[in-house]
Amino acid sequence: MLDEEPERRRRRHWIHPIVAQRHRKGQFHTIYNDLRQDPFKFHSYCRMSMETFDNLLLSLHPHLNFMDTCMRRSISAEQRLLVTLRFLATGNSFASLHFEFLLGISTISGIVCHTCQVIWQRLREAVMPTPKAEDWLRIAEGFYQSTQFPNCIGALDGKHIRVQKPPHSGSRYFNYKQYFSVVLMALADSNYRFVIVDIGAYGSTSDSRIFSASRMGERLRENQLALPEPRRLPGSAGPPAPFVIVADEGFALSQHLMRPFPRRDLDDRKRIFNYRLSRARRYVECAFGILSTKWRVFMSSIQMNPDNATLVIQACVLLHNFTRIHDASADADNGQNMATPVIFDHSRTGRPGAAGLAVREVYADYFCSPEGALPWQMEAIRGSR
């Protein structure tokens, strides 16, 4: 009869026989205790030290712990965290993790998404709090000590995170590098930590437009970032200079955002400014390199919808900061070899304002003055002439 509903396919197993062996043969139950006997192997497996893992687990445990029921035993908070870290550290598919941990594919998917969400909710204020005036001053001091760029409160750039094409999305996620992506827009300090991030913009959108539409860019325009008052550049008797963010040519010049001089008709003064700015700007490139090297889920396309991919990116950003804080010795790599070649986005960014031009001139003059010049800067720019 046409009105009869098709018979639903019966489940062959309540729990698949292979998954039923999880407590005897699953990777968590077979090697986790052994890993804890070898700190080096544990760090290689989880991408963090045992002490850092334990601190992370302590912070997340109340939100990852579930009760046993009469139907089945719950998955422990330790195992949930380990499965998530393994996914982030390797980028392996859920099907691959299914055979490693002997958990259902849908179970692993739910664990990863839930744990990433908990990481974002529980760690955000601890490892990436909203900066205050004293935080900006500390960041500026770090940049001056490391790069001799005064009044610099961060290096800004965007990173394209490869994702699978969302259904019915057209070309919105298709970027100029010829693949589908969402954008991680980040401001980094001189310790390669992320200070402010904006995640999830379409890959087809230029960095300048993403930053302008982001809450970070909006607050910067409206002077709501609690920036310190302008102060004189070190050793200078000139007027106070505003605190600035350094960025590449893909961003619009403004009073608090410095970009290089255009590469045409450069004289030595402009080349020196571009060189000094690039010394500070490379820190965000290095931070992205460290992030991708540690969390290899970024080495291939994230096979999730954009919302869940955003959760994964958020979790990795916070775990990056968390390990930079707690694993300072293990992560002693200063990022010198992590920077990727700079690809300039020549998208239209609009004409720079008079205030931005004036501030850039102040810094350019300072870098050529006896108070602000570096002994090796003329040698450094010689090859760019």
Side-chain angles (χ1 to χ4, degrees), residues 134-148:
E134 54 269 24
D135 299 316
W136 293 125
L137 289 172
R138 175 183 52 78
I139 293 171
E141 181 62 25
F143 270 105
Y144 186 67
Q145 294 296 327
S146 302
T147 70
Q148 293 75 53

Side-chain angles (χ1 to χ4, degrees), residues 16-17 50 59-60 65 69 74 83-84 90 130 136 150 159 175 186 192 225 244 257 264 297 313 323 338 356 385:
H16 195 281
M50 280 188 289
S59 300
L60 306 181
N65 194 37
T69 69
S74 66
V83 168
T84 302
T90 63
T130 301
W136 293 125
K159 178 178 176 60
N175 64 37
Y192 310 102
L225 283 180
V244 296
L257 198 153
R264 61 183 182 276
V297 68
I313 299 167
T323 55
M338 294 295 180
R385 294 179 180 177

